[in-house]
Amino acid sequence: MNRRTALSALAVGGFAGLPGCLGDGSPDGTDAEPDANGSDPEGDPEAEAKNDESETEGDGSEPDSHELNREVDVDGVEDGSRSQFQWGPTHVARRDEAGPTDDVEVFWRQTGVWGEHSQPVVSGDQAYVSFDGTLLRLDLATGEVEWSTDLGHAASSSPAVRDGTAYLTVWNGMPGVDRGLAAVDIESGEVAWRRLTDADVTTSPVATDDGVFVGGGPDNGTVAAFDHDGTERWRHELADYASTPAIADGTVVYGAGDPRVVAYDAASGEELWARRVVGDATAPPTVADGRVLIGTRAGKLWALDIEDGAVDWTADLPGPVRRSVAVADDRAVVPTEDGLAAVGDDGDRLWTVGWIEYATAPVIGGDFAYLGHDRAVRAIALDDGTEQRSYPTRRREDGDVFHEGFEAPPTLVGDVLLAATEAGDVYAFGEA
C-alpha cells in the first residue's frame, strides 16, 4: 500500500463513524431519527443492498470511466457565487433552490483517481474538483473531463475560481515535492504560479475581488494573503491546522488552530481582535448577520461579533466540530463527530440527529440541508432534522482497503446535486 492510499484509507476510516444515537438527545429529550423509509444505510438492509448493487472492485489502475444518462441543463448557471468552498467567502452555503426531489437518478458519473477529494465548485458551465492533488475541469452538462493537472497531494482542499484562475492549496508531507498555493489558468490547465512552497497547506483558499487568502495545515500555522498575481501581501503565524478563513467587509477571520479565533484587516494584515474560546478552533468560520459562527473541538458553537470579537452567545453541541456550519434564515446547521444539530439565532439547540455522525459540512437549498454521510448524500429537513431523501454512492476496493464516503460537501446547481466521493467518483444527481 503506497503512502497516498494509506492516507486515503485513514480519511475514509475517520468518516465511517460509529452507528447509534446520542445519549443526551435534543433539548426536549428526543433525537430526530431516520424517517419512516429507513434510509439510514447503517440500519436498513434494503438501503444497504441498494448501495451494494453499485459496489465495484479495482486496483486503482483502471482507466477513467464516464457514465452519461442525461445532460445537466446549464442555462442560467453563469452565477459565479458557487465557485469556491461553501459558495463564497462567508461560507454561509445557502441557496433558494431546493435540489432534486422525486424520481432522482444519476445524470452522469465521472470516475478518476480515488482518494482525498474536494467539494465540487461551479463557474459558468464548468465544474472543478480535485482528487489527491489532481485538479479536474469537467463539462457541467456531461461530466466529461476537459483537462486535469497534477498539483501535489491536496487532502480535501476545494478550488476557488475567479477571473480566469483556479486557486488550490496542496500538501505532500515529504521534501522535494510541490506544495503550498497554486494558481491555474482555467482555459489551459497550466500552472501560472506557486506560493507558500515551503508549507503544507490543507485548507481551502478563499478568493475575493481583493485577493486570495489561505490557512494552515499539518505542522503549519502560517496564514497569508496574496494579490491575484501572486504578490504576497501579508502573513502571520497561528497554530497548526489554522482554518480556512471567512471574509466579510474587509475582515478576515480564522480559527487559529488553538483555543482562539483571530481577525485581521484584509488589506494590511493588521490584527483587529483575538478571542479566547473553549476547545481548539480548526473549523472554517461562517459569517452571517454580523456574527462569526464557529464550532470547536470542545463541542461548543460560538457566536462572535465580527466587529470586535465580543461573545454574543455559546451553545453546547453533541460533539467536537471540525467542519463549517451552514446558515438558514433563523438557524445554523452544525455537523459534529457525534451528531448533527441545528442551533437557533439565540443559541438554543433546536434539534439533534444522533445517527448522523462525522458528516461533511452541510449546504442549504430551500428547506433542506444537504451533506455527505456514510455512502449517501442526505437531504435533511431544516425544521425538524428528519431525513427526507438520500442519494447512494458506490464503494471501490483496493485489496483489503475500501474507498468510499465523503470528505467534502456536495454542491447545488438548480435542481441538480454534484457530489465527489473518496471512491474517485463525481456524481450529478437530478430529477428523472
Side-chain angles (χ1 to χ4, degrees), residues 166-188:
Y167 304 96
L168 188 71
T169 57
V170 293
W171 74 287
N172 191 275
M174 60 183 69
V177 180
D178 289 329
R179 65 196 68 208
L181 173 66
V184 179
D185 182 272
I186 64 170
E187 295 303 323
S188 66

Side-chain angles (χ1 to χ4, degrees), residues 154-413:
S156 57
S157 166
S158 297
V161 180
R162 199 174 193 92
D163 295 332
T165 301
Y167 304 96
L168 188 71
T169 57
V170 293
W171 74 287
N172 191 275
M174 60 183 69
V177 180
D178 289 329
R179 65 196 68 208
L181 173 66
V184 179
D185 182 272
I186 64 170
E187 295 303 323
S188 66
E190 296 179 355
V191 177
W193 49 260
R194 289 182 182 267
R195 299 293 183 270
L196 281 179
T197 54
D198 57 339
D200 286 322
V201 186
T202 54
T203 52
S204 299
V206 176
T208 70
D209 288 340
D210 192 41
V212 185
F213 304 82
V214 299
D219 300 318
N220 170 38
T222 300
V223 300
F226 299 87
D227 294 335
H228 294 125
D229 63 1
T231 302
E232 183 174 314
R233 184 181 305 170
W234 50 258
R235 70 166 64 192
H236 294 287
E237 293 299 322
L238 299 175
D240 293 353
Y241 293 103
S243 75
T244 292
I247 304 171
D249 299 326
T251 298
V252 185
V253 185
Y254 289 93
D258 57 20
R260 292 180 299 153
V261 180
V262 181
Y264 300 104
D265 180 86
S268 67
E270 176 189 359
E271 182 178 306
L272 301 178
W273 52 263
R275 171 61 54 186
R276 296 288 298 184
V277 294
V278 177
D280 288 347
T282 60
T286 299
V287 179
D289 299 324
R291 288 172 175 160
V292 177
L293 299 175
I294 185 169
T296 71
R297 301 292 294 165
K300 281 187 174 292
L301 180 65
W302 294 74
L304 310 175
D305 189 297
I306 194 171
E307 295 293 332
D308 57 10
V311 178
D312 284 354
W313 47 259
T314 64
D316 291 330
L317 297 172
V321 181
R322 56 177 178 147
R323 304 295 182 202
S324 63
V325 308
V327 180
D329 292 335
D330 61 350
R331 64 196 59 202
V333 182
V334 191
T336 82
E337 294 180 4
D338 298 315
L340 182 72
V343 177
D345 56 13
D346 56 1
D348 289 337
R349 200 188 318 172
L350 305 177
W351 48 256
T352 302
V353 186
W355 61 274
I356 299 184
E357 305 166 312
Y358 290 93
T360 70
V363 295
I364 293 174
D367 297 325
F368 304 99
Y370 296 93
L371 47 83
H373 171 251
D374 289 337
R375 283 165 56 193
V377 179
R378 305 191 185 279
I380 306 299
L382 290 176
D383 59 352
D384 61 6
T386 56
E387 181 182 87
Q388 301 300 302
R389 298 177 295 277
S390 66
Y391 316 108
T393 64
R394 68 174 181 163
R395 165 192 294 168
R396 296 169 72 195
E397 295 184 16
D398 178 17
D400 59 354
V401 176
F402 293 142
H403 299 268
E404 62 181 343
F406 304 88
E407 179 72 16
T411 201
L412 184 63
V413 184

